[in-house]
Amino acid sequence: MNSCNAQELNKKEIDNILTKQVEGNKTPSVQYAIFNADTIIHQFRLGYADIKNNREAKENTTYNAYSVTKTFTALSVLQLAEQNKIDINKPIINYLPEFPYSADITIRQLLTHTSGIPNPIPLSWIHLIDEHNTFDRDSFFAHVFRKHNNTKSKPNEKFAYSNLGYVILGQLIERISRISYEDYVRANILQPLNIKTNELDFTITDINQHAKGYHKKWSFSNIILGLFIDKSKYMDKTEGKWNSFKNNYVNGVSYGGIIGVPAAFVKYIQELLKLNCKLITDDYKKILFTENYTSNNKATGMCLSWFRGELKGNQYFAHAGGGGGYYCEIRIYPNLGIGSVIMFNRTGMSDERYLDKLDKHIMTEK
């Protein structure tokens, strides 16, 4: 069998895996793409963005990307460092005097999740669309910081994922740039890539273009969901085998607020694959993708917001975004010059490394 036919069979295998996800009621919809810096190698789309109204997932369907936002936050911080406006190796308190934790914690430690700042369960940290105009995130998180005011470990003692650390990084971006976090990302990441607000932003620009978020009705996680959120407030009607969420926004925009179409995330990763990309110099990109080691010289598996991993001997950098109603992953294989994206409109609560199941069919063993 020649390589061309083998690759086509491998693409069919990917399609079969994802088709079973939809037809087996594992997700209402899924969208996947694997690509190089210039072109799409393979893509797949199937299922419903809205089950009740039989609205199929399309190219312009937006999804909540949740913690994938952290990669935009880290990139923004490094852009400011590249402009000599901050030094990521200096304590964050140098730039945010009101910082409520240890004065020894550096910006780099916030970026690598080694600050020791706690990570209270975030599922209840959402608000409905109609509450958005009156929601005061600084006031909300000031209360959270007061309630959770003790660190769990010494700076760079160990890796411990913290959404609160990325709230602080968002505040740093706003303090240094003197504009809102959202406007900074729009001006310095999205606009240079010609990504429109209806493709990637922090609000739902078209309700009829947005995928409704779903949670499996008959599941253990659905039983315990009520411990984390007010179901009567945030959940909508049951649709078939799925409970649906009312559209909402994450309270912490800099750790989980970005919303967009799969193609916009493809464009973002394609730019990061390029030499001399528009977003950051190669020297600072190397810093972004360098794995952090603790003070005891223990590898953490975490770079500056990006997790490090390997698939078939090929190194990759990845981030997942999961929460109520949605799950997604983005990934970069720098040595292969390819990247991948997958987006579901079903709840995901852990880093599933789902792309391992798909990307392996395209690449060769190193």
Side-chain angles (χ1 to χ4, degrees):
M1 183 182 297
N2 62 45
S3 60
C4 181
N5 289 338
Q7 189 175 66
E8 289 307 310
L9 283 175
N10 289 341
K11 290 177 181 178
K12 288 182 180 179
E13 181 61 26
I14 290 172
D15 293 354
N16 288 336
I17 292 169
L18 295 175
T19 298
K20 288 178 182 177
Q21 285 288 300
V22 176
E23 293 182 349
N25 286 306
K26 301 292 180 63
T27 182
S29 77
V30 60
Q31 298 205 41
Y32 167 77
I34 188 165
F35 46 87
N36 58 33
D38 302 303
T39 61
I40 302 293
I41 297 169
H42 185 60
Q43 59 184 340
F44 180 89
R45 181 186 309 114
L46 187 67
Y48 288 101
D50 184 334
I51 297 171
K52 179 182 177 181
N53 295 306
N54 294 322
R55 179 163 55 87
E56 294 182 356
K58 297 181 179 179
E59 186 177 4
N60 66 350
T61 300
T62 54
Y63 295 76
N64 292 41
Y66 289 136
S67 286
V68 165
T69 310
K70 292 182 176 70
T71 68
F72 289 80
T73 301
L75 179 58
S76 300
V77 170
L78 281 195
Q79 286 178 341
L80 294 172
E82 188 177 57
Q83 297 164 23
N84 293 316
K85 293 180 178 179
I86 59 172
D87 182 342
I88 65 170
N89 295 309
K90 287 186 176 179
I92 183 75
I93 204 166
N94 288 9
Y95 307 97
L96 294 176
E98 69 276 22
F99 179 65
Y101 299 101
S102 168
D104 296 328
I105 293 172
T106 66
I107 297 172
R108 181 186 289 274
Q109 288 157 1
L110 291 168
L111 289 165
T112 59
H113 296 282
T114 55
S115 66
I117 293 173
N119 188 47
I121 295 173
L123 265 179
S124 60
W125 295 4
I126 56 178
H127 57 275
L128 297 175
I129 285 181
D130 58 12
E131 299 173 314
H132 192 56
N133 289 337
T134 58
F135 177 72
D136 184 340
R137 65 183 180 228
D138 289 337
S139 176
F140 174 85
F141 282 107
H143 171 75
V144 174
F145 289 132
R146 286 193 298 269
K147 186 177 180 181
H148 303 277
N149 58 0
N150 293 317
T151 54
K152 301 295 185 181
S153 58
K154 295 178 181 178
N156 207 37
E157 183 178 50
K158 63 179 182 179
F159 168 82
Y161 195 83
S162 175
N163 283 309
L164 285 185
Y166 272 73
V167 172
I168 293 164
L169 290 171
Q171 293 175 348
L172 172 69
I173 292 165
E174 293 186 330
R175 182 67 56 84
I176 300 302
S177 69
R178 299 183 179 180
I179 57 176
S180 72
Y181 171 84
E182 295 95 325
D183 283 345
Y184 182 89
V185 172
R186 289 175 186 131
N188 295 279
I189 299 178
L190 305 185
Q191 290 177 13
L193 301 183
N194 197 31
I195 295 175
K196 311 300 185 193
T197 55
N198 65 334
E199 297 173 321
L200 203 64
D201 202 66
F202 300 93
T203 57
I204 299 170
T205 56
D206 185 346
I207 203 73
N208 296 313
Q209 182 180 316
H210 190 60
K212 184 178 285 190
Y214 292 95
H215 195 100
K216 198 68 176 289
K217 182 179 179 181
W218 304 112
S219 63
F220 177 73
S221 60
N222 189 46
I223 296 172
I224 65 172
L225 190 62
L227 299 176
F228 301 112
I229 64 170
D230 181 351
K231 283 188 172 183
S232 64
K233 178 177 180 179
Y234 293 108
M235 301 301 292
D236 213 335
K237 296 177 181 179
T238 299
E239 300 178 23
K241 296 183 178 181
W242 297 91
N243 288 337
S244 62
F245 284 84
K246 295 177 182 176
N247 288 315
N248 61 77
Y249 296 130
V250 175
N251 293 353
V253 65
S254 58
Y255 72 72
I258 210 156
I259 296 168
V261 301
F265 292 97
V266 169
K267 190 179 291 187
Y268 166 59
I269 298 169
Q270 283 180 319
E271 191 63 31
L272 290 174
L273 281 168
K274 297 174 182 176
L275 291 174
N276 303 311
C277 80
K278 298 175 182 177
L279 303 176
I280 195 169
T281 63
D282 290 342
D283 287 343
Y284 272 84
K285 186 162 64 173
K286 183 177 180 180
I287 294 171
L288 184 66
F289 293 118
T290 297
E291 184 176 3
N292 182 60
Y293 284 72
T294 67
S295 52
N296 293 325
N297 203 35
K298 182 178 179 181
T300 62
M302 166 60 64
C303 305
L304 273 62
S305 81
W306 292 83
F307 289 88
R308 193 192 73 82
E310 285 190 5
L311 181 61
K312 296 179 74 170
N314 298 292
Q315 181 176 245
Y316 67 74
F317 302 102
H319 211 297
Y326 304 90
Y327 180 74
C328 67
E329 293 179 7
I330 63 173
R331 188 173 290 192
I332 297 174
Y333 299 89
N335 295 333
L336 297 176
I338 61 175
S340 55
V341 170
I342 192 162
M343 309 197 85
F344 301 91
N345 60 332
R346 52 82 171 166
T347 295
M349 301 307 298
S350 63
D351 185 355
E352 301 175 16
R353 304 283 169 123
Y354 194 92
L355 286 171
D356 284 1
K357 302 177 184 180
L358 308 174
D359 295 352
K360 67 181 181 180
H361 294 288
I362 297 296
M363 65 183 59
T364 55
E365 194 86 34
K366 185 175 180 181

